[in-house]
Amino acid sequence: MDSDTLQVFQSELTCSICMNCFLDPVTIDCGHSFCRPCLSLCWEEGQTPRSCPECRGISERPHFKTNIVLKRLSSLTRQARADHDHHSEEQICETHQEARGLFCEADQTLLCGPCSERPEHAAHSHSPIHRAAEESREKLLTRIGSLWKMREEMKISMNQETEKKKMVHLRKVMIKLEYQRMLLLLREEEQLHLEALEREAKEICLQLIESVFRMTQQRESLKEMCRELTEMCHKPDTELLQVRKEGPSSERETLF
Ligand SMILES: [Zn+2]
Ligand SMILES: [Zn+2]
Ligand SMILES: [Zn+2]
Ligand SMILES: [Zn+2]
């Protein structure tokens, strides 16, 4: 790839947030693409609606699949850029005067071809710098992904805690209301009870008046009877006996 073509590719595959070649690119609803980590940071505080950092278009979904074609093209462009740059500033092995184009994972060092064949490296796996770097990028991206996931899960449990607090408050309010209702019911019941008692008292009072009246009348007639009998006692013998025979008070005697 010549320098100009590389330039064109590079500018087409640049994330407008970080201004670097795409890493794990995603294409959002409006069609614009960004590195997943850049977009995650951009939408970090869960602002809604989520708008495109480039055109402000609204994206309904918070998660997107990796744009595989863009990802491959970006990786190829990174490699082309690296090859291009390495030619001018690549590390040369002082012993063999060759480019150090291999990465030794075990030693975390860069090696030239002949160096990588030395006995101390016999058991190691060596890969071209670019591939090693892309693998390392992938690992970092996975780690970033799991960190975001962890963060999201923490938010969920934070929300749950807040929910719990809200529930406790709600229960407090409900308990207060329930007791207020019960107090009201008790007061009503008390009122009804007192009213019933009041009616009963009135009834008793009426009965009392009635029976007092009745007894007064009876006492009055008893007195009357006493007077009549006393009068009778004072009558002469024959009259007394005659009256008794006729029995003028026989009706009254039934009163006893
Ligand atoms: Zn980016
Ligand atoms: Zn957009
Ligand atoms: Zn060497
Ligand atoms: Zn090695």
Side-chain angles (χ1 to χ4, degrees):
M1 206 186 285
D2 67 64
S3 185
D4 287 344
T5 322
L6 182 59
Q7 204 74 43
V8 171
F9 263 83
Q10 212 170 7
S11 72
E12 287 304 319
L13 295 166
T14 295
C15 162
S16 64
I17 300 175
C18 64
M19 303 310 285
N20 287 311
C21 196
F22 287 130
L23 271 174
D24 194 7
V26 290
T27 305
I28 63 174
D29 290 353
C30 60
H32 284 123
S33 304
F34 306 94
C35 314
R36 187 190 298 281
C38 291
L39 198 65
S40 297
L41 280 170
C42 198
W43 285 353
E44 192 250 316
E45 268 323 314
Q47 83 207 65
T48 43
R50 294 175 189 83
S51 57
C52 168
E54 212 166 319
C55 72
R56 298 280 139 213
I58 303 298
S59 268
E60 301 294 340
R61 297 170 296 145
H63 300 293
F64 299 91
K65 292 230 155 45
T66 301
N67 186 325
I68 296 166
V69 176
L70 271 190
K71 184 177 176 173
R72 276 199 205 117
L73 285 174
S74 305
S75 175
L76 286 171
T77 308
R78 252 195 302 281
Q79 180 163 26
R81 168 53 64 191
D83 289 346
H84 192 268
D85 292 348
H86 284 163
H87 288 310
S88 52
E89 51 182 273
E90 70 193 356
Q91 294 190 24
I92 304 290
C93 169
E94 278 140 29
T95 321
H96 305 100
Q97 290 302 306
E98 276 189 41
R100 286 173 162 168
L102 294 170
F103 178 69
C104 170
E105 175 101 40
D107 287 0
Q108 299 280 300
T109 49
L110 291 175
L111 307 167
C112 76
C115 275
S116 74
E117 276 150 27
R118 293 222 301 252
E120 63 260 40
H121 288 287
H124 300 162
S125 79
H126 300 142
S127 50
I129 292 177
H130 177 71
R131 206 199 310 152
E134 289 292 287
E135 274 167 14
S136 157
R137 280 190 189 100
E138 279 304 316
K139 277 183 199 153
L140 286 173
L141 284 168
T142 310
R143 193 158 152 60
I144 291 170
S146 62
L147 288 177
W148 279 115
K149 205 170 156 214
M150 234 163 86
R151 216 169 161 272
E152 216 155 283
E153 281 165 2
M154 273 169 83
K155 195 183 172 197
I156 290 170
S157 54
M158 267 160 74
N159 284 351
Q160 281 170 346
E161 293 301 312
T162 321
E163 270 316 299
K164 270 188 213 160
K165 211 178 127 196
K166 271 193 208 156
M167 279 307 289
V168 167
H169 179 72
L170 200 70
R171 268 170 53 205
K172 203 171 134 187
V173 171
M174 299 251 304
I175 285 172
K176 273 189 183 171
L177 277 175
E178 185 62 15
Y179 274 92
Q180 275 174 12
R181 202 178 63 89
M182 268 154 61
L183 269 177
L184 217 69
L185 276 177
L186 275 176
R187 284 217 187 94
E188 267 173 35
E189 211 177 281
E190 182 192 24
Q191 194 59 35
L192 286 175
H193 213 135
L194 287 174
E195 275 171 18
L197 212 63
E198 190 70 22
R199 275 198 302 276
E200 205 178 317
K202 268 186 194 161
E203 190 66 29
I204 288 171
C205 202
L206 277 176
Q207 280 171 6
L208 196 69
I209 290 169
E210 224 170 81
S211 82
V212 166
F213 178 72
R214 226 178 23 242
M215 282 197 276
T216 313
Q217 273 185 330
Q218 277 177 8
R219 283 182 74 234
E220 221 25 67
S221 50
L222 285 177
K223 194 177 161 190
E224 190 56 34
M225 218 185 290
C226 284
R227 195 195 334 274
E228 276 178 29
L229 292 175
T230 310
E231 269 172 29
M232 215 184 282
C233 284
H234 289 123
K235 286 189 174 166
D237 296 351
T238 51
E239 201 177 330
L240 171 75
L241 291 171
Q242 198 181 354
V243 169
R244 226 172 127 61
K245 219 185 238 169
E246 284 169 5
S249 60
S250 59
E251 269 177 46
R252 276 174 197 135
E253 273 167 0
T254 57
L255 269 170
F256 296 98

